[in-house]
Amino acid sequence: MKIILSPAKKMHTDADTFQPKDLPVFLPETRQILSCLQSKSYSELKTLWGCNDAIAETNQKRLQEMDLTHRLTPAILSYEGIAYQYMAPSVFEDSHLLYVQEHLRILSGFYGVLRPMDGVQPYRLEMQAKLRIGTYRDLYEFWGDKLYRQVHDADGILINLASREYFKCIEKYLTPHDTCITCTFAEMTKGKMVQKGTWAKMARGEMVRFMAEHQIQNPQDLKAFNRLGYQYRDDLSSENDYVFERISACEYAMH
């Protein structure tokens, strides 16, 4: 069983908490992407990233100085986004780290697929960025089925906690022999179940922590997840889509 998760835009370095164990598996491909990015002008990079001058200047400087094999941070510590804040890997016990190292895979436009303890450098590159690399029109075409093949394992079970833009890299290559379960975190709004971005990111991080703490091996056990006010809704779920509804603060206090 593998769990897939999106990366985060904001990243930092952490040389103190624990050291990386490996280099990313697609480092040759990352070098190609890095070379392509380094060949671009400041204005081209700013357009590609869709950001302000401060962010563009920081990330251009990172590109100019980037060393893909030295002074690295474990991927799971490098990302600062909401999902990673709620996962809180810096306070994982050893058994939790071993679990995520085996099961969790972080999808990345720059690195392809990352194991939690792979050493990375901070970068800025979203999967949907309009980056042409050689004859490839964009990153989806550049990576092709490599990401799917890397996250696929013998039992063919995949737990999808990634955003739509990243799941697209995997979804088109799924076969009838695969079991892919998407976790949907939503709440009732005006009579409809709606997935709200910030809450969904929080829940994805909490779900990874829940799975690590309970050492979950059977997808059925995900249904017990009840953090942040979420409860599994069997009536709204299907074999490949587990729906969790966030109940209101008032209702949550009564449970």
Side-chain angles (χ1 to χ4, degrees), residues 17-35:
T17 305
F18 39 77
Q19 294 298 307
K21 292 186 181 298
D22 299 289
L23 292 173
V25 293
F26 291 123
L27 207 56
E29 288 84 352
T30 299
R31 291 191 192 281
Q32 284 182 258
I33 296 173
L34 177 59
S35 178

Side-chain angles (χ1 to χ4, degrees), residues 182-187 193 195 203 207 222-226 230-233 236-237 241-246:
T182 294
C183 293
T184 300
F185 301 98
E187 57 189 84
M193 290 295 285
Q195 185 163 251
M207 178 62 89
L222 298 179
K223 297 175 181 179
F225 177 80
N226 62 352
Y230 283 99
Q231 292 183 344
Y232 175 72
R233 286 286 302 270
L236 299 177
S237 299
D241 186 15
Y242 287 5
V243 177
F244 298 85
E245 180 186 10
R246 187 172 73 91

Side-chain angles (χ1 to χ4, degrees), residues 89-105:
S90 62
V91 294
F92 270 176
E93 296 176 5
D94 288 347
S95 62
H96 304 160
L97 283 172
L98 289 170
Y99 178 90
V100 294
Q101 180 69 3
E102 179 182 353
H103 295 286
L104 179 65
R105 296 295 179 263

Side-chain angles (χ1 to χ4, degrees), residues 24 59 66 72 79 119 123 127 147 158 166 184 215 219 224 238:
N59 284 280
M66 191 172 289
L72 305 177
Y79 295 109
Y123 66 91
M127 188 64 78
L147 309 193
L158 195 64
Y166 285 91
T184 300
Q215 301 285 296
S238 66

Side-chain angles (χ1 to χ4, degrees), residues 5-123:
L5 185 67
S6 303
K9 285 184 184 178
K10 291 184 68 177
M11 299 180 71
H12 71 294
T13 56
D14 181 344
D16 301 321
T17 305
F18 39 77
Q19 294 298 307
K21 292 186 181 298
D22 299 289
L23 292 173
V25 293
F26 291 123
L27 207 56
E29 288 84 352
T30 299
R31 291 191 192 281
Q32 284 182 258
I33 296 173
L34 177 59
S35 178
C36 179
L37 292 172
Q38 288 174 333
S39 72
K40 295 192 174 299
S41 67
Y42 173 80
S43 60
E44 287 173 324
L45 288 170
K46 186 180 175 185
T47 299
L48 179 73
W49 291 328
C51 62
N52 60 36
D53 283 315
I55 293 172
E57 287 166 7
T58 296
N59 284 280
Q60 186 185 41
K61 188 171 186 291
R62 282 174 172 172
L63 286 176
Q64 292 168 345
E65 301 174 350
M66 191 172 289
D67 183 336
L68 295 172
T69 59
H70 295 91
R71 300 184 301 280
L72 305 177
T73 299
I76 200 169
L77 293 181
S78 186
Y79 295 109
E80 289 189 289
I82 294 170
Y84 294 86
Q85 292 172 29
Y86 277 77
M87 189 195 309
S90 62
V91 294
F92 270 176
E93 296 176 5
D94 288 347
S95 62
H96 304 160
L97 283 172
L98 289 170
Y99 178 90
V100 294
Q101 180 69 3
E102 179 182 353
H103 295 286
L104 179 65
R105 296 295 179 263
I106 301 165
L107 305 179
S108 164
F110 188 62
Y111 283 105
V113 175
L114 291 164
R115 295 160 296 196
M117 296 301 291
D118 285 349
V120 302
Q121 292 283 6
Y123 66 91

Side-chain angles (χ1 to χ4, degrees), residues 85-237:
Q85 292 172 29
Y86 277 77
M87 189 195 309
S90 62
V91 294
F92 270 176
E93 296 176 5
D94 288 347
S95 62
H96 304 160
L97 283 172
L98 289 170
Y99 178 90
V100 294
Q101 180 69 3
E102 179 182 353
H103 295 286
L104 179 65
R105 296 295 179 263
I106 301 165
L107 305 179
S108 164
F110 188 62
Y111 283 105
V113 175
L114 291 164
R115 295 160 296 196
M117 296 301 291
D118 285 349
V120 302
Q121 292 283 6
Y123 66 91
R124 186 180 181 90
L125 187 66
E126 294 183 74
M127 188 64 78
Q128 79 271 31
K130 300 186 186 305
L131 179 66
R132 182 180 287 274
I133 306 166
T135 60
Y136 299 104
R137 292 173 298 177
D138 55 27
L139 289 166
Y140 291 108
E141 192 173 283
F142 175 81
W143 287 113
D145 68 349
K146 290 179 180 177
L147 309 193
Y148 164 76
R149 287 189 283 111
Q150 186 62 30
V151 302
H152 182 270
D153 62 11
D155 65 10
I157 297 174
L158 195 64
I159 308 301
N160 174 32
L161 296 177
S163 64
R164 184 68 194 158
E165 73 181 86
Y166 285 91
F167 183 51
K168 280 169 61 178
C169 304
I170 307 298
E171 185 179 28
K172 66 186 292 186
Y173 302 106
L174 292 171
T175 75
H177 302 292
D178 295 318
T179 299
C180 181
I181 298 169
T182 294
C183 293
T184 300
F185 301 98
E187 57 189 84
M188 191 65 71
T189 303
K190 296 180 180 178
K192 294 182 179 180
M193 290 295 285
V194 178
Q195 185 163 251
K196 297 187 176 179
T198 298
W199 278 98
K201 291 175 183 177
M202 292 161 59
R204 288 166 184 156
E206 282 280 4
M207 178 62 89
V208 174
R209 170 168 278 280
F210 171 81
M211 294 179 75
E213 288 176 350
H214 293 276
Q215 301 285 296
I216 286 178
Q217 305 292 335
N218 185 340
Q220 292 293 320
D221 294 335
L222 298 179
K223 297 175 181 179
F225 177 80
N226 62 352
R227 301 182 179 183
L228 301 175
Y230 283 99
Q231 292 183 344
Y232 175 72
R233 286 286 302 270
D234 185 68
D235 56 321
L236 299 177
S237 299

